[in-house]
């Protein structure tokens, strides 16, 4: 099938070993040469946003991620190291959005993605609190999508085709809406986490 051309994506694909680890941490400016998805009516784009990758500290970057024709390919293994030597967290290869910390107002995240069919028990998207806690985690089991607490929200096969993915965060109420291919599958109400800065992450963790 034809690979979509909007940005950003997450898709796990075979990688070629490229030598010893040379970690990089500098945020990368968002590409401007790819075709972007049209914004929903009433929304504006955050300009000059940047992104960075978190990946196993002892891996060379190209062993765990690549950007090819506007498609971001990410992978991680269960026995990988964490993203920092001092971290006690599980291994990850994630895209972290900068310059768009969310406090008040509404923010929406648009992406097309597909997972490899052998992906199991990993977070593929998070809304994260800058105080160090995940607010929303979307995790895949048996090719289906679950939220924190193992609540099934998307029962269809995630590895069968590309999905159009949209998460909207309301900083005024801390509510969240999640749609797949334009259909609402999940919503939350006020949870009382006012004045916390949040940011988006997508990848495998």
């Amino acid at each position: 099938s034809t690979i979509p051309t909007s940005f950003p994506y997450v898709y796990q694909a075979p990688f070629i070993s490229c030598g010893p680890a040379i970690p990089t941490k500098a945020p990368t400016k968002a590409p401007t040469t790819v075709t972007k998805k049209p914004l929903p009516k009433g929304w504006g784009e955050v300009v000059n946003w940047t992104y960075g990758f978190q990946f196993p500290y002892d891996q060379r970057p190209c062993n765990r991620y690549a950007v090819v024709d506007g498609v971001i390919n990410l992978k991680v293994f269960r026995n990988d190291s964490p993203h920092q030597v001092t971290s006690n967290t599980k291994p990850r290869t994630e895209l972290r959005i900068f310059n768009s910390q969310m406090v008040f107002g509404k923010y929406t995240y648009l992406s097309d993605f597909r997972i490899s069919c052998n992906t199991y028990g990993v977070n593929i998207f998070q809304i994260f609190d800058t105080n160090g806690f995940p607010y929303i985690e979307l995790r895949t089991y048996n090719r289906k999508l679950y939220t924190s607490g193992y609540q099934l929200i998307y029962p269809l096969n995630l590895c069968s085709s590309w999905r159009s993915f949209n998460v909207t965060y309301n900083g005024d109420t801390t509510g969240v809406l999640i749609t797949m291919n334009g259909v609402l599958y999940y919503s939350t109400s006020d949870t009382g986490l006012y004045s916390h800065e949040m940011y988006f992450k997508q990848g495998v963790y």
Side-chain angles (χ1 to χ4, degrees), residues 174-200:
T174 64
V176 175
L177 301 176
I178 299 173
T179 67
M180 300 281 273
N181 294 337
V183 178
L184 179 65
Y185 280 91
Y186 179 78
S187 64
T188 64
S189 57
D190 186 341
T191 59
L193 292 176
Y194 294 107
S195 300
H196 285 204
E197 288 188 356
M198 306 286 186
Y199 59 89
F200 294 127

Side-chain angles (χ1 to χ4, degrees), residues 94 123-128 134 136-137 199-201 205:
E94 292 182 297
N123 288 340
I124 63 171
F125 182 86
Q126 297 182 77
I127 297 178
F128 215 86
I136 287 290
E137 295 176 303
Y199 59 89
F200 294 127
K201 299 182 77 176
Y205 168 59

Side-chain angles (χ1 to χ4, degrees), residues 76-90:
V76 75
F77 296 106
R78 290 180 181 272
N79 59 351
D80 273 341
S81 299
H83 66 297
Q84 294 177 336
V85 176
T86 57
S87 175
N88 293 320
T89 60
K90 294 180 180 180

Side-chain angles (χ1 to χ4, degrees), residues 123 134-141 145-153 186:
N123 288 340
Y135 175 59
I136 287 290
E137 295 176 303
L138 300 182
R139 178 168 290 220
T140 176
Y141 292 101
L145 192 63
Y146 295 76
T147 64
S148 309
Y150 304 100
Q151 177 185 348
L152 177 65
I153 66 168
Y186 179 78

